Amino acid sequence: MSELIGLEEAKLHCRIDDDYEDTLIQAYIEAALEVCQKHIGKRFDNGLEFTAAIKIGCLMYVSQLYEYRTMIGDTDAKEIPMAVSALWSVYRDVGVY
């Protein structure tokens, strides 16, 4: 599933030039795709189209995870950012996931 968003594309979006955090960024890509599907309530392998809005939302979520990676215990960091939620909510089909 991570082939939907490439590592280099995510690093470019996050403005990361080095390679020493590639494993971390790859994990964030996987997490963003998982959270996206849970939020929408439908899976990519079960009819959910990977649209431009979904992709941008995932990239924004990756950058959010990267930016706030050191904030442990912050309850706001656990919420999906409003801009990301707005991009994904139009695809939401609650209870299908």
Side-chain angles (χ1 to χ4, degrees):
M1 179 172 54
S2 64
E3 64 275 356
L4 296 172
I5 297 176
L7 177 62
E8 292 306 314
E9 183 176 24
K11 287 171 58 177
L12 179 64
H13 181 80
C14 295
R15 298 179 183 194
I16 300 170
D17 296 327
D18 51 56
D19 294 332
Y20 69 89
E21 293 186 297
D22 284 2
T23 303
L24 179 66
I25 301 303
Q26 189 63 50
Y28 289 162
I29 292 168
E30 294 290 331
L33 292 167
E34 181 181 330
V35 169
C36 171
Q37 292 174 96
K38 289 289 250 184
H39 181 77
I40 291 171
K42 198 170 188 181
R43 298 180 53 86
F44 295 121
D45 62 0
N46 195 21
L48 178 59
E49 182 182 354
F50 191 67
T51 65
I54 288 175
K55 183 175 191 172
I56 294 300
C58 286
L59 287 169
M60 290 171 65
Y61 197 71
V62 168
S63 65
Q64 179 88 6
L65 291 171
Y66 181 74
E67 183 69 27
Y68 297 105
R69 65 194 175 279
T70 59
M71 296 183 87
I72 296 175
D74 184 352
T75 57
D76 291 337
K78 296 177 185 173
E79 298 293 323
I80 296 174
M82 183 182 282
V84 174
S85 178
L87 285 167
W88 293 344
S89 291
V90 296
Y91 301 97
R92 198 165 198 172
D93 189 7
V94 179
V96 177
Y97 192 87

